[in-house]
Amino acid sequence: MNNDIVQKYFQIHKTIFEDNFKIAAQTAQEEAIHDMRVSIKRLRLLFKFLNFCFDKKFQPKKKAKQLIKVFKSAAILRDIQIQIVLLEDVEYKLGINLTKQKDRLKKQENIEIAYLKEFLSKFNYVKLKKQFQKAENTIQNTINYSKPDIPISIKKYYDKRITLINRLLNKDKIDYHKIRKRIKELTYLTEIQSINIENTPEKLVQLKQMGKLLGDWHDIEVFLKERHFAQNEIIQTYLKEKQNNLISAFKES
């Protein structure tokens, strides 16, 4: 495995972020917003990985400060869009009319779209480019001068995440949201390892499936806390049963 995989992973997801940032700023296209936020998650994991294994002074939070601002700017909008999808699922599966609730969410969505477009149009991209450059310099220095063994370093970080997941699973009250975050990190680490491999490794497919199950579980968790649906027993019962099925599938995966 070449030591340039970290640089390659950084460049790929930096480009994905930049391309989707432009689309999101101009059109607030749902897919672009989603892809932009996922690229931020991958870059933040990469920054944490560099800090853990190679450069304790890397300051991953500081390097990702502008990325975090962009990520948070679309957080409410993404939650609303997920709620709309869940609402449509509930309508279809239970055969009930939730037009008023959907209309309310659509109005909120339009407000958040306007906010996001304004935020991104005024965003200080120069600061972000400087942070990208600092990160890239660190990655280059790590590869060119320190000559670390990237595969061993990834395994070390990977094993630490596995330990955290096992601790969470052994608690009386399991926090599946925290487990989901750790699984995402395992997924991204495996992506780095596999970046030069033509066929998707089975381990990566499994991690993505586990993450998808817990992601769907978490979407419902957020939805159930929405005050407009918290008192509706029919919706609550249906979605809680769906959550239980997702957790069962996760445990079997």
Side-chain angles (χ1 to χ4, degrees), residues 20 23-35 81 113 116:
N20 284 288
I23 297 170
Q26 293 169 4
T27 67
Q29 184 191 91
E30 189 170 342
E31 185 179 352
I33 294 167
H34 172 266
D35 290 348
Q81 289 172 337
I113 285 173
L116 178 66

Side-chain angles (χ1 to χ4, degrees), residues 16-223:
I16 290 173
F17 168 80
E18 290 173 335
D19 290 346
N20 284 288
F21 180 97
K22 291 176 185 175
I23 297 170
Q26 293 169 4
T27 67
Q29 184 191 91
E30 189 170 342
E31 185 179 352
I33 294 167
H34 172 266
D35 290 348
M36 177 182 72
R37 280 165 57 85
V38 172
S39 66
I40 292 172
K41 290 178 185 177
R42 285 181 163 94
L43 290 169
R44 290 185 67 190
L45 177 277
L46 183 61
F47 291 176
K48 287 194 286 184
F49 168 68
L50 289 170
N51 182 74
F52 176 80
C53 294
F54 306 123
D55 184 358
K56 300 301 180 187
K57 296 180 181 178
F58 183 71
Q59 297 178 299
K61 284 187 178 179
K62 188 174 180 180
K63 293 288 193 306
K65 188 175 180 181
Q66 299 303 315
L67 285 173
I68 293 168
K69 287 181 180 180
V70 175
F71 187 84
K72 289 182 177 179
S73 70
I76 296 174
L77 175 58
R78 286 300 301 150
D79 283 346
I80 291 170
Q81 289 172 337
I82 289 167
Q83 285 179 39
I84 291 171
V85 171
L86 279 168
L87 207 59
E88 289 171 347
D89 173 66
V90 169
E91 271 192 316
Y92 176 74
K93 293 292 173 57
L94 299 181
I96 57 179
N97 189 313
L98 297 170
T99 303
K100 287 184 179 179
Q101 291 88 336
K102 277 200 299 184
D103 287 347
R104 178 183 58 80
L105 286 173
K106 286 288 185 182
K107 286 179 182 177
Q108 290 180 341
E109 182 185 27
N110 290 334
I111 291 169
E112 289 301 323
I113 285 173
Y115 163 76
L116 178 66
K117 289 173 76 172
E118 183 180 6
F119 175 87
L120 295 181
S121 68
K122 296 178 179 178
F123 183 73
N124 191 335
Y125 209 87
V126 173
K127 284 187 178 180
L128 179 57
K129 290 186 77 171
K130 286 180 180 178
Q131 288 185 341
F132 273 148
Q133 188 59 56
K134 287 178 182 178
E136 188 166 13
N137 290 341
T138 300
I139 292 168
Q140 288 282 12
N141 290 338
T142 295
I143 294 168
N144 294 333
Y145 305 119
S146 302
K147 296 295 180 185
D149 190 324
I150 300 289
I152 290 176
S153 300
I154 289 177
K155 186 179 184 307
K156 187 189 301 182
Y157 197 64
Y158 192 99
D159 289 346
K160 185 179 175 68
R161 263 50 202 162
I162 290 288
T163 300
L164 289 172
I165 289 172
N166 287 332
R167 284 178 188 165
L168 289 166
L169 286 170
N170 287 325
K171 290 191 174 186
D172 293 334
K173 186 176 181 181
I174 300 177
D175 189 333
Y176 287 105
H177 180 46
K178 284 185 179 179
I179 292 173
R180 171 177 167 258
K181 287 182 177 180
R182 302 290 81 81
I183 287 175
K184 276 188 179 293
E185 291 185 323
L186 296 182
T187 302
Y188 301 155
L189 286 167
T190 306
E191 285 178 347
I192 296 171
Q193 288 178 310
S194 313
I195 202 163
N196 290 328
I197 299 173
E198 187 173 341
N199 297 320
T200 305
E202 187 177 335
K203 181 172 71 172
L204 182 55
V205 173
Q206 183 184 24
L207 284 168
K208 286 187 174 181
Q209 176 62 18
M210 293 168 71
K212 174 74 166 57
L213 290 167
L214 291 186
D216 291 346
W217 171 88
H218 181 255
D219 289 345
I220 295 172
E221 193 74 0
V222 173
F223 183 92

Side-chain angles (χ1 to χ4, degrees), residues 226-243:
E226 172 62 44
R227 62 185 178 86
H228 294 278
F229 311 111
Q231 305 303 319
N232 189 312
E233 282 190 30
I234 297 174
I235 294 177
Q236 288 270 323
T237 301
Y238 167 69
L239 290 178
K240 284 180 179 178
E241 182 179 352
K242 194 170 182 177
Q243 275 190 309

